[in-house]
Amino acid sequence: MLDTITQESVIRLATQQTLPAPPQVVMRLLKVIRSDDFCLADIVEVVESDVSAAATVMAAANTAATRGVNEVTSVRDAVTRLGAQATRDRVMHQAMQSAFQPRHPALAGLLSKEWALAAQVASVLRRVSCAEIGLEDADTAFTIGLFHNVGMVPLLSAAPALVNIGSSADYYVAARHHASALGGVLARRWHLGDAVYETALNCLRPATSGWGAWGLVRITRQICAQRMGHSAALDPETLEAATLAAQEALHMADIVGWIQEQGGDVLDAA
């Protein structure tokens, strides 16, 4: 089973144009946001042109609604509430879910959990972002959390239905060893930005030295996976190593406890 995923197969997946490019709605949205003089109406026009994008943005805006805020009933109101970057992230996340569908039935549940884990990590990172941990921008924190595991997605979706993968959990562990290589490629192909690129390259690779946003993602990922019951994603050794690195880099005695306390309401909703 472990031979099902090899470094060679990962390289082929990354270089033979089998990884899908972003759909037109994503490319149009990126073009608008990158322009120097874009306005709200420009983003609304792009989102409204795609039914899936519009539904995704509306749902996200209402889910993210603060207490006492009325439900949004238009794409314009939804984009206003989310902002440009969060709108982009939600549309891209939905597009990725549509682009990567599991071919092996045993992996469908794991891929579904992986999408949910990414959303949970993103929400927690946005809540705890601050200068103290080196993530001052809440929007950037949310983005790297939402796309930190993009390298796992093609590996969980590309396995042929007739392949004997044995235990799906074991397959997941094997995939995680190769996810960093694909994560970097996919981050570039989908124009996810440098912060996501660096995180995707490092957060699922336990041997990576040094410290960066990926270290916080590793810790948050483990906390969320435990809360969600995503047992295949649990990796005590990685959590221990990342916690020690955080203590040295951030001079925080209990980074796990701090994240759990600061992001408590988000974690309780998992």
Side-chain angles (χ1 to χ4, degrees):
M1 187 281 305
L2 293 176
D3 291 335
T4 302
I5 306 176
T6 64
Q7 190 66 32
E8 290 75 17
S9 66
V10 170
I11 292 172
R12 286 198 303 273
L13 190 60
T15 59
Q16 291 183 350
Q17 303 302 313
T18 53
L19 295 179
Q24 284 299 312
V25 64
V26 171
M27 297 305 295
R28 289 176 58 203
L29 192 56
L30 288 172
K31 183 178 180 180
V32 166
I33 292 175
R34 286 172 179 166
S35 65
D36 295 330
D37 57 350
F38 77 88
C39 64
L40 176 68
D42 298 326
I43 298 176
V44 171
E45 181 180 358
V46 174
V47 174
E48 285 182 334
S49 71
D50 185 274
V51 174
S52 295
T56 296
V57 170
M58 291 280 290
N62 284 318
T63 299
T66 56
R67 294 179 179 86
V69 176
N70 294 330
E71 180 180 23
V72 300
T73 57
S74 70
V75 171
R76 177 177 292 275
D77 289 343
V79 172
T80 301
R81 177 171 293 175
L82 292 175
Q85 183 168 328
T87 296
R88 180 208 67 176
D89 289 347
R90 297 292 188 173
V91 171
M92 295 185 79
H93 198 243
Q94 185 275 332
M96 280 191 168
Q97 291 187 59
S98 297
F100 293 100
Q101 294 294 327
R103 296 164 59 189
H104 200 297
L107 299 178
L110 279 176
L111 185 56
S112 177
K113 286 184 178 180
E114 200 65 15
W115 289 125
L117 178 59
Q120 187 71 15
V121 170
S123 296
V124 173
L125 286 177
R126 179 168 56 189
R127 180 59 54 86
V128 304
S129 61
C130 63
E132 186 177 4
I133 62 172
L135 277 177
E136 298 183 55
D137 185 349
D139 287 338
T140 299
F142 183 85
T143 300
I144 65 174
L146 196 61
F147 298 109
H148 77 275
N149 55 351
V150 292
M152 284 292 292
V153 172
L155 291 171
L156 290 176
S157 62
L162 298 179
V163 168
N164 179 17
I165 65 170
S167 164
S168 58
D170 288 343
Y171 181 94
Y172 180 97
V173 173
R176 191 172 61 209
H177 287 298
H178 298 286
S180 295
L182 278 181
V185 172
L186 202 54
R188 288 298 191 221
R189 180 165 294 190
W190 282 68
H191 309 282
L192 296 173
D194 292 341
V196 172
Y197 174 75
E198 292 293 335
T199 302
L201 278 179
N202 293 292
C203 72
L204 297 178
R205 185 183 295 168
T208 302
S209 59
W211 179 257
W214 61 82
L216 292 167
V217 172
R218 286 175 179 168
I219 296 170
T220 306
R221 176 182 169 86
Q222 292 300 304
I223 293 172
C224 292
Q226 185 175 24
R227 288 292 185 100
M228 294 172 58
H230 187 1
S231 58
L234 295 178
D235 184 359
E237 292 184 6
T238 292
L239 178 59
E240 181 179 3
T243 300
L244 291 174
Q247 290 172 353
E248 181 177 349
L250 304 178
H251 307 291
M252 297 180 70
D254 184 11
I255 182 67
V256 172
W258 185 85
I259 291 175
Q260 290 175 329
E261 179 181 358
Q262 298 299 313
D265 57 339
V266 178
L267 289 168
D268 290 340

